[in-house]
């Protein structure tokens, strides 16, 4: 009798290959003073090179194409109060007018049908905004209705949804620094962090060097903060995220490939968008859709030629993607070097430029 995949997957055994130890203080709790002031770990064909973010234009070639994610992070974290006076945090996961998904904490004592009053940062009520808890959903979320509507509530009362591992409340500067300079399409609940390093100065130098820039959109979902589960590894799929590739970007990619240039994906989000939008021949089609693409070692990349990314969490799907592109041993060796030489990790941390593993 055949053994089911579910019975054979050992999550810890798989993820142990993507584990590493960080020294104290390695997690970047705040961004560098200058947006493009971080370090750059360049993993090239000849090994690891220590550089700086501002060195990026000199590492690319005329004819290359930089593809960035122009999603805009929603101010999705809201404060609320129960009729009993208890404080509640509501993390909205959508923007639609009808019932949407939300993470609500603490969830255990809340009841279906409750009406929460949204409050300001000082905990004051009477804002005119409410959240109705319609029903519990599988996976620990709630279906909620926001009055007058989610976008109005987020714009007037919402806070920047910093990653939980930063272990601090959002500050005024985060409203600017946790957005890329090209953020335009509202819909993400986490930043496409590789793009946080890029500045007008860098983009100007890239243009002078003959490097084009194009945009895609992938709205980063709350699943990016979730630990990998057995069902993720078994199905080979991740949480769904919405993507868009504009016609001008598809055309720019085709031109880049035709002239022998390289497509440089800014971040794992741009990578997953481009690879999701490509057909079997590697041609990227304009359009939109939802992706569950889980890129891990063994995946054959069809579009992306270089990867610009951050230094990611251990045991994460993001690190698995980087290992798939750059080679598991090469990438993990580079991470060991980064940890030993003082690189700053995660969302507000330093950058990495990865060239593919030579065959």
């Amino acid at each position: 009798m055949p053994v089911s995949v579910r019975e054979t997957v050992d999550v810890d055994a798989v993820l142990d290959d993507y584990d590493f130890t960080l020294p104290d203080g390695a997690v970047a709790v705040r961004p560098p003073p200058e947006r493009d002031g971080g370090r750059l770990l360049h993993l090239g064909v000849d090994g690891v090179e220590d550089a700086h973010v501002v060195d990026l234009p000199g590492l690319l070639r005329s004819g290359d194409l930089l593809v960035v994610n122009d999603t805009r992070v929603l101010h999705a974290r809201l404060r609320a109060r129960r009729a009993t006076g208890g404080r509640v945090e509501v993390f909205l996961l959508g923007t639609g007018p009808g019932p949407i998904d939300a993470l609500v904490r603490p969830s255990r004592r809340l009841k279906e049908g409750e009406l929460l009053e949204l409050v300001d940062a000082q905990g004051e009520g009477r804002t005119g905004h409410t959240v109705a808890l319609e029903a519990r959903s599988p996976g620990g979320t709630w279906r909620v209705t926001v009055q007058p509507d989610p976008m109005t509530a987020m714009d007037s009362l919402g806070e920047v949804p910093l990653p939980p591992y930063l272990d601090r409340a959002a500050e005024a500067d985060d409203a600017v620094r946790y957005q890329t300079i090209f953020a335009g399409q509202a819909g993400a609940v986490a930043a496409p962090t590789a793009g946080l390093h890029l500045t007008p100065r860098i983009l100007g130098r890239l243009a002078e060097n003959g490097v084009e820039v194009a945009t895609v959109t992938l709205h980063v979902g709350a699943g990016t903060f979730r630990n990998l589960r057995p069902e993720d590894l078994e199905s080979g799929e991740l949480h769904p995220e919405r993507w868009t590739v504009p016609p001008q970007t598809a055309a720019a990619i085709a031109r880049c490939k035709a002239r022998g240039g390289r497509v440089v994906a800014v971040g794992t989000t741009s990578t997953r968008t481009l690879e999701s939008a490509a057909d079997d021949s590697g041609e990227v089609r304009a359009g939109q859709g939802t992706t569950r693409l889980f890129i891990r070692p063994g995946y054959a990349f069809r579009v992306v030629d270089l990867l610009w990314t951050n230094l990611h969490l251990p045991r994460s799907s993001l690190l698995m993607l980087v290992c798939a592109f750059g080679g598991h041993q090469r990438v993990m060796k580079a991470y060991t070097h980064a940890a030993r030489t003082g690189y700053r990790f995660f969302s507000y941390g330093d950058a990495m430029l990865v060239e593919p593993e030579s065959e």
Side-chain angles (χ1 to χ4, degrees):
M1 178 182 235
V3 178
S4 70
V5 174
R6 180 174 298 275
E7 293 173 344
T8 62
V9 171
D10 184 334
V11 177
D12 287 334
V14 173
L15 297 184
D16 282 348
D17 288 337
Y18 302 91
D19 207 355
F20 60 93
T21 301
L22 284 176
D24 291 341
V27 177
V29 178
R30 288 176 173 80
E34 299 296 328
R35 186 181 283 269
D36 58 9
R39 297 175 69 188
L40 170 61
L41 182 66
H42 179 205
L43 181 55
V45 294
D46 296 323
V48 172
E49 176 186 2
D50 296 315
H52 295 87
V53 166
V54 292
D55 297 326
L56 174 64
L59 296 172
L60 301 186
R61 302 193 294 249
S62 178
D64 288 345
L65 175 70
L66 198 74
V67 181
V68 302
N69 183 1
D70 66 359
T71 189
R72 185 170 186 82
V73 181
L74 302 168
H75 286 202
R77 181 170 283 122
L78 300 167
R79 301 169 188 259
R81 187 168 56 199
R82 302 178 72 187
T84 60
R87 297 183 182 275
V88 179
E89 178 184 285
V90 180
F91 193 132
L92 298 182
L93 303 178
T95 60
I100 59 174
D101 290 328
L103 294 169
V104 186
R105 298 188 179 94
S107 181
R108 184 169 57 87
R109 295 183 180 179
L110 298 174
K111 301 176 182 178
E112 294 184 356
E114 271 199 69
L115 186 66
L116 307 177
E117 183 179 20
L118 292 178
V119 299
D120 60 22
Q122 288 71 46
E124 298 296 327
R126 297 180 295 279
T127 63
H129 301 276
T130 60
V131 175
L133 303 180
E134 307 287 1
R136 293 181 186 270
S137 299
T141 60
W142 283 81
R143 294 293 286 173
V144 304
T145 299
V146 182
Q147 295 292 344
D149 63 82
M151 289 302 297
T152 300
M154 286 188 280
D155 288 344
S156 59
L157 299 171
E159 300 175 10
V160 177
L162 293 181
Y165 52 75
L166 294 187
D167 196 28
R168 67 174 176 86
E171 301 167 358
D173 191 45
D174 293 308
V176 175
R177 296 300 301 275
Y178 198 62
Q179 299 279 13
T180 66
I181 64 169
F182 27 78
Q185 309 299 320
V189 298
T193 55
L196 296 179
H197 302 280
L198 300 179
T199 61
R201 172 172 64 167
I202 289 179
L203 297 181
R205 288 178 56 200
L206 288 170
E208 292 172 359
N209 293 352
V211 176
E212 290 187 63
V213 178
T215 63
V216 296
T217 305
L218 183 136
H219 292 313
V220 187
T224 191
F225 297 131
R226 191 189 68 203
N227 293 332
L228 284 170
R229 305 169 302 177
E231 51 264 44
D232 301 323
L233 297 172
E234 292 156 6
S235 67
E237 294 184 337
L238 297 177
H239 54 280
E241 292 174 317
R242 294 177 292 127
W243 60 264
T244 301
V245 175
Q248 58 268 33
T249 296
I253 293 169
R255 292 195 305 270
C256 175
K257 294 289 190 179
R259 64 178 174 252
R262 299 173 297 179
V263 173
V264 186
V266 176
T268 59
T269 60
S270 295
T271 300
R272 291 179 66 237
T273 300
L274 295 174
E275 296 294 323
S276 296
D279 62 21
D280 291 340
S281 68
E283 181 179 352
V284 174
R285 65 188 187 280
Q288 56 188 356
T290 298
T291 183
R292 289 180 171 270
L293 182 61
F294 186 175
I295 297 177
R296 47 186 170 172
Y299 178 85
F301 287 84
R302 297 175 290 182
V303 182
V304 177
D305 301 303
L306 266 74
L307 174 62
W308 171 270
T309 186
N310 272 28
L311 294 161
H312 298 293
L313 287 165
R315 306 172 72 86
S316 66
S317 65
L318 306 181
L319 179 54
M320 294 177 80
L321 184 153
V322 179
C323 287
F325 187 81
H328 180 265
Q329 289 187 339
R330 288 177 75 228
V331 170
M332 297 308 294
K333 184 177 180 180
Y335 266 59
T336 299
H337 169 82
R340 288 175 176 171
T341 55
Y343 278 80
R344 303 166 76 245
F345 280 72
F346 311 155
S347 293
Y348 273 147
D350 294 319
M352 186 175 185
L353 181 64
V354 185
E355 299 184 26
E357 185 173 37
S358 58
E359 297 181 359

